[in-house]
Amino acid sequence: MKVGVLALQGDVPEHLRALGSTVAGGNLKPVRTSADLAALDALFLPGGESTTIARLMREGGLWHPLALRLEQGFPVLATCAGLILLARELAPGPSGRDPPTFGVLDVRVRRNDYGAQRESFEAPVRIEGMRGAPFPGVFIRAPRILEIGNAAEPFAWRGDEVVGVRQGSLWGTTFHPELSDDLRLHRLFLATLRRAR
Ligand code: GLN
């Protein structure tokens, strides 16, 4: 399976490092062009700044090719800013201008919804299908999932709050699995895809 990490802005090296132990070097690629994208079986959308990532995707001609692949059911694990870019709808929030989104993941989210006081925190996250200790959730200027439509389902919780949703092979989290040393979520996503193939 060929796996890519969108490498325009954000925590790209961290995703590549997390995947490095699971995916053979030749099958793991930073994605900067539509040609990079075409060769892939799955993509990781990193955390970072969603407005910047959206702008760079448009400028680099990646927006439309990715939109097309998403329509065809392209598997994606999207974290934080990545989740924002997939969301069906963004609720107006404190951060002013919102980016355009692909609108494929049936959730309504609000950017930076945990407020200035708590811009960053770590909290245990329960993940469906994951054994062992709770997952260390790293939340940085995280979006909040306000509403989950019928097409999507929760798979990760911080207490009672949903912090991860999936819709077939589209997975999105408000936290950053790439910023912890815990590789279980990257592995669970890839193992689930392999099983489905
Ligand atoms: N607040 C950022 C945004 O709106 C997301 C934060 C992150 O990815 N850590 O894009």
Side-chain angles (χ1 to χ4, degrees):
M1 201 156 58
K2 292 199 187 331
V3 173
V5 177
L6 184 70
L8 299 177
Q9 190 267 336
D11 47 19
V12 178
E14 290 82 356
H15 267 294
L16 288 169
R17 182 154 38 78
L19 288 163
S21 70
T22 314
V23 180
N27 288 333
L28 179 58
K29 287 218 162 117
V31 173
R32 296 191 185 91
T33 66
S34 58
D36 295 336
L37 188 66
L40 296 182
D41 300 303
L43 180 67
F44 287 73
L45 287 183
E49 188 50 49
S50 53
T51 49
T52 304
I53 297 174
R55 179 172 55 76
L56 294 174
M57 287 186 86
R58 292 192 147 184
E59 288 173 4
L62 262 172
W63 186 272
H64 289 293
L66 180 56
L68 212 65
R69 291 217 63 185
L70 287 169
E71 270 172 34
Q72 298 158 352
F74 187 40
V76 174
L77 176 73
T79 63
C80 204
L83 165 70
I84 292 166
L85 293 174
L86 293 186
R88 167 179 42 86
E89 191 186 336
L90 301 183
S95 24
R97 198 171 55 86
D98 283 329
T101 75
F102 290 105
V104 288
L105 185 59
D106 196 4
V107 287
R108 195 160 71 94
V109 306
R110 189 182 287 131
R111 296 171 62 213
N112 300 333
D113 201 48
Y114 293 89
Q117 232 81 306
R118 301 175 63 195
E119 285 193 333
S120 308
F121 59 95
E122 196 171 321
V125 169
R126 183 167 59 83
I127 295 181
E128 195 171 274
M130 187 177 284
R131 279 179 230 240
F135 193 87
V138 177
F139 294 82
I140 301 173
R141 294 181 300 117
R144 199 191 302 263
I145 298 169
L146 301 176
E147 208 182 286
I148 304 171
N150 289 333
E153 54 171 12
F155 77 91
W157 297 263
R158 165 183 170 254
D160 291 334
E161 183 169 56
V162 174
V163 293
V165 290
R166 65 185 154 206
Q167 183 173 327
S169 52
L170 279 186
W171 295 27
T173 65
T174 63
F175 57 99
H176 293 269
E178 71 280 15
L179 296 184
S180 65
D181 291 328
D182 197 317
L183 306 175
R184 285 178 296 166
L185 187 61
H186 287 80
R187 289 186 175 156
L188 182 66
F189 174 69
L190 293 174
T192 306
L193 293 186
R194 286 196 190 100
R195 233 177 291 126
R197 277 155 73 89

